[in-house]
Amino acid sequence: RVELDLGTTDAEVRAVLPLATGQVVIVGSVGRQGSAQAGGPAARPAAWRSDDGQSWEEIDLPDDMQGHPAEIYPASGPVGHLIATTRQLWYSADAISWRKVHEVSDDYYLLAPVAGDEGFVVPVGFTEDGDRTILASGDGLSWFEGRPPVGFPGVAPWREDWLAWGYTTDPMTISLF
């Protein structure tokens, strides 16, 4: 057991990203306790890296990485690393330098991305009618949108492809596609 000394007692860890260099990066947020208090500063995304898993250095994330930290979802795979915030996707090849690669309008919200050998898939919710769509990328940089044939609550990498599932209520069934 290792106590994480991240320079604050108000940190939430969302993911641990092991790097090919032997380093490890933690992605999460800081300031959740302060933001819960009246007049406290807003929580913000945060990331730290370590060579040994014991000493940690905070990574400077882009100032415009928007989204409530409770809605920060990281994913990591052979193609690179991805952070989804409420409305933005951020890509990094090394989990240190991040760039915004996609943004959705206020009518949508991004859900947890999934990484696989073939890239990334990100479920997208639609705020008005509950309709769902998906975003996909083979390289983390260019994205295309698709609509699943039924509701889209899940996706997972499977062999060299993707497996998704959705629920319907009339008739009550689970569909794989």
Side-chain angles (χ1 to χ4, degrees):
R1 180 179 156 182
V2 175
E3 291 287 328
L4 293 178
D5 181 9
L6 302 176
T8 180
T9 58
D10 191 7
E12 177 184 70
V13 174
R14 301 290 287 181
V16 177
L17 311 175
L19 306 182
T21 62
Q23 291 182 315
V24 64
V25 170
I26 291 176
V27 177
S29 62
V30 295
R32 291 177 58 82
Q33 293 170 3
S35 66
Q37 299 170 359
R44 65 175 176 81
W48 301 265
R49 72 174 156 197
S50 175
D51 292 325
D52 59 11
Q54 296 195 25
S55 58
W56 296 89
E57 173 188 1
E58 188 164 359
I59 296 168
D60 289 327
L61 294 177
D63 289 338
D64 62 341
M65 188 180 276
Q66 302 294 319
H68 187 279
E71 298 171 1
I72 292 174
Y73 303 107
S76 183
V79 173
H81 313 279
L82 192 69
I83 292 177
T85 65
T86 305
R87 307 244 186 292
Q88 300 172 339
L89 292 176
W90 294 80
Y91 173 80
S92 176
D94 61 8
I96 307 298
S97 301
W98 296 87
R99 82 182 226 196
K100 184 171 34 173
V101 292
H102 193 78
E103 189 164 4
V104 297
S105 74
D106 289 347
D107 294 335
Y108 297 91
Y109 58 93
L110 300 170
L111 299 169
V114 178
D117 291 341
E118 300 295 313
F120 300 98
V121 173
V122 181
V124 180
F126 189 66
T127 58
E128 290 181 18
D129 62 7
D131 194 18
R132 292 271 179 108
T133 186
I134 57 171
L135 294 171
S137 174
D139 61 7
L141 300 171
S142 54
W143 292 84
F144 67 92
E145 183 178 323
R147 291 207 179 269
V150 297
F152 188 75
V155 64
W158 185 53
R159 299 181 181 160
E160 294 180 5
D161 209 342
W162 298 94
L163 177 66
W165 56 93
Y167 299 93
T168 58
T169 55
D170 189 20
M172 184 73 78
T173 121
I174 300 171
S175 299
L176 296 176
F177 47 93

